[in-house]
Structures are given as C-alpha cells and as structure tokens.
Amino acid sequence: MNIGEKILLLLKEEISEIEYNRYIKHLIFDTKKSTNDTAIFYAPNNLVLNWIKNKYASKIKHLFEVHHSLHLNVNITLKNQVEDKKAEVKKEQKPQQHSLLNPSHTFENFMVGGSNQFAYATIKSVSEKPGILYNPVFIYGGVGLGKTHLMQAAGNVLQNQGKIVVYTTVEQFLNDFIRHVRNKTMERFQEKYRKCDVLLIDDIQFLSNKEGIQEEFFHTFEALKGVGKQIILTADKHPKKIAGLEKRLQSRFEHGLVADIQPPELETKIAIIENKCKINKVTLTKDIIHYIATVIESNVREIEGILSKLHAYSQLMHVDIDLQFTKNVLKDQLQENRANLTLDIITQNVAKDLNIKPSEIRSKGRSKNLVYARRIAIYLCRELTQNTMPQLAQYFGMQDHTAISHTLKKINELIQNDEDFKVKIEELTNKITSSS
Ligand code: ADP
Ligand code: MG
C-alpha cells in the first residue's frame, strides 16, 4: 500500500461509509508524480473532483501532516486529462489506431419513441444484415438526439461479432488524411478506411465546402460500397441541405436510406431519464422525473448534466432531492429553455422566409402563396406555442377552430407525402426556435 492509499484509509475512519464509497474510494494516488511538496490524486469525474476539493482536500493535507509530518499541497485533478494525454501519445506512435466505440452506446440503452423509431428500426436491421439491406444509411437530426449513440450501437453489435468496425468523425478523417499525405503514407490511410467491414462516419455536414476531402471520401465510399461493406453516416441535416457538397456524394448519400431523428416526445424523455438514473445510480421520484422531462426541450445530452448537478448539490448541501429542490437547481435551465415564442414572432419569421409581409399572412387574402404561408404559420404556431385552436382562429382572422384543424390536417398530409416540404418545415422550426 502506498502512502496516499494509507492516508485515504485514515480518512475513511473519519467519514461515513456512503461518502467513502461514493467519492474517496475512487481517488487514485500518483506515486510517480507526487513529490515531497505535492501529493497528486486523480478523480474519475468532475463531480467527485469538486466535491473532494471543497470538502476533503484540507483534511487530506492535515492527515499527511499529522501522520507523516509532511507539509504538502494536495493536488486533485481529473483522471481523464491524464488518460487523454496518454492516449494522444499512443495515437502518435500508432497512427493507424482508430476511435473506439463507447461500450454503453447500445441498443438496450437506447429508448425508442415516435421521434426516433424509424432511425432506430433502420439501424437495428442494418446491424442484423450489414451491407445487404440499406447501404448507406444516413441518419440526420439536431444536436444531442442520439445519432452517435445509434450508429455506435450498430458498431458495437458488429464489432462483438468480430467484424472490423471503423468509427470516425469527418474531422478525424480529415486530420488523418492530412497526416498521411504529409508522411507519404496514403496506402496506410486507404488500408484503414477501405479494408474495414463497417464504416461509421459521424457529422458529415463538416464535409461542406472541403473539396479535397470530399474527393478522398468519395473513393473510400465507392471502394466499400463496391464490395458490399456497410456504411452508416450521420449529419445535422438532410444530405440535400448540406451546402457545398458534391452532387455525386449527395446522390450516393440519398441512395440507401435516409432517416431522421426528431426531438423526443415527453414519454421518450421520461424513459431516457429513468434509464440514465439507473445507469448513474441516482434515485428520483416520478414527479421529479416528469418535471425534468418538461424542462428539457430536446437535447438529451442535457439530461446527464442535470442529473450530476442535482446529485452534487444534494451532497454538498446535505439535502434530499425533492421537487422543490429540483426546481431551484434547474431554475436557470428553465428560463433559458422556455423560449418566449409568440404568435407574432412565428408569423414574422414565416413571412420573412417566404418574402411577404406579416400583415398579409393575417389578412383575408386568398392568393395561392398567401394561403400557403398562412397554413405554415398556423401549423408552426400550433406546434411551438401553447395556444388553443380557437385562439389561433382569432389571431389569424378565421371563422372558428374547424378552419384551423382543417389547415393542420392539410399540412400534416403534406409533411407525410412531400420530403422537400418536410425538410422545409424542419428548417423553419430550427430557425425560429434558435432565434428566440
Ligand atoms: P448526437 O450525436 O445526435 O448529437 P448523441 O448520440 O451524442 O447525440 O446523444 C447525446 C446523449 O444523449 C448521449 O449520452 C446518448 O446516450 C443520449 N441519448 C440520446 N438519445 C437517447 C435515447 N433515445 N435513449 C437513451 N439515451 C439517449
Ligand atoms: Mg454526435
């Protein structure tokens, strides 16, 4: 046992078992880097790090003084940074090494709902019959909606069957390319990307306007596709909407199957939160989970942040996590997210986008383009605000709510049947919600 471990055992005697197991136990003492002046410990994550820094760093220091007459600084840092550095060094030595898949990105951990079931079903079936059903699969959707998780879930399944799976982001692919060109080792680059069984490329939108890498990517794509190897791609938008993308790439991306992921509906969010609680060993009551699900608008990535924030605050302040406490902790989040979207703002945005005046949208004009714009505005107002159909009828100068429900029906039909129109509505929604 090293001196650092001995100190932590002494500390164990002074604190509760729960606290020891939850935090102190995870500290690792660095025997090599620690000196007579400084004791270095590594914490596995920020939560543990902050908690120990605030609460126990001085106590640890004191124990060194009392038991070993050592007057030193106690330095606690994140373990990841060290590992990252090691990983970097390793990478430099072994350039052909590729990104690893996150093992917790599995199908079991992925909660399915209306918003993502199409993408889920597509990827799931491809993981069962790679290279045969749809090739490539192209998944698109907003930030934090589970694209990377899904593609890696397929990657994990196939890797466990012994297939060679390469996961990379466009950015890494580009960096790799540049390095191999510089080192004149392009055959190694091609070996890596063209000899795999499954290629997963994340965030394709970054190919935008980068001609050199598009060329290389095209050949990689053709080589793999030609021998029936599965390719899965993700992006934040539909291939059609990625500006500065070569036509031949665009058409190839659309050639297999394009599936979107939409922001999760309430039930899916609740399922995701329950799942994350289980994984992170946090216990929350139903009403708290429900509350968090309503606070988070769409980005699922926020959930993990919220859980650790709740957990950390409750530890620091020695209180249980109840609904009032949750509301206080999440106050800022709520204010940030609750977009103050009004009917006026939405109407103005639609008008601007379609090059007409807002007042025209609300007028009784019957020309084709006015009716079109009005329908879109009504649809978005219904989707993005809490207004009732009678309220919308009043705002848009229509007779009653049946006119509104007729409009909504029409728009929903269009969205179902017309891919371009659907993309258009998504774009407008993004524009409006991100501008508020
Ligand atoms: P994206 O690549 O679309 O930006 P990620 O795949 O990185 O999003 O997802 C962000 C986080 O949210 C990850 O921790 C992921 O596990 C989680 N997540 C997203 N969607 C789901 C889901 N449906 N079920 C469970 N976890 C999800
Ligand atoms: Mg991603």
Side-chain angles (χ1 to χ4, degrees), residues 238-303:
H238 193 282
K240 265 202 194 63
K241 295 291 162 186
I242 301 177
L245 185 67
E246 286 178 21
K247 276 273 165 298
R248 58 178 183 173
L249 275 179
Q250 187 197 312
S251 70
R252 273 161 184 80
F253 292 168
E254 287 181 71
H255 187 260
L257 203 130
V258 180
D260 64 329
I261 299 193
Q262 293 295 323
E265 44 299 90
L266 188 64
E267 300 79 63
T268 315
K269 281 192 276 187
I270 289 175
I272 295 173
I273 297 169
E274 284 171 345
N275 181 257
K276 295 279 175 206
C277 282
K278 216 166 82 197
I279 294 174
N280 293 299
K281 299 200 169 53
V282 177
T283 320
L284 297 178
T285 60
K286 276 206 157 45
D287 56 338
I288 295 176
I289 291 179
H290 190 276
Y291 177 74
I292 297 174
T294 55
V295 171
I296 296 166
E297 298 269 299
S298 64
N299 188 342
V300 177
R301 202 166 288 156
E302 288 177 47
I303 291 175

Side-chain angles (χ1 to χ4, degrees), residues 105 109-112 116 141-150 202 268 272 275-276 299-301 304:
H105 283 161
N109 284 341
F110 191 84
M111 301 298 119
V112 186
N116 58 28
V143 173
L145 298 186
K147 301 183 296 296
T148 301
H149 184 137
L150 255 190
D202 221 346
T268 315
I272 295 173
N275 181 257
K276 295 279 175 206
N299 188 342
V300 177
R301 202 166 288 156
E304 268 152 351

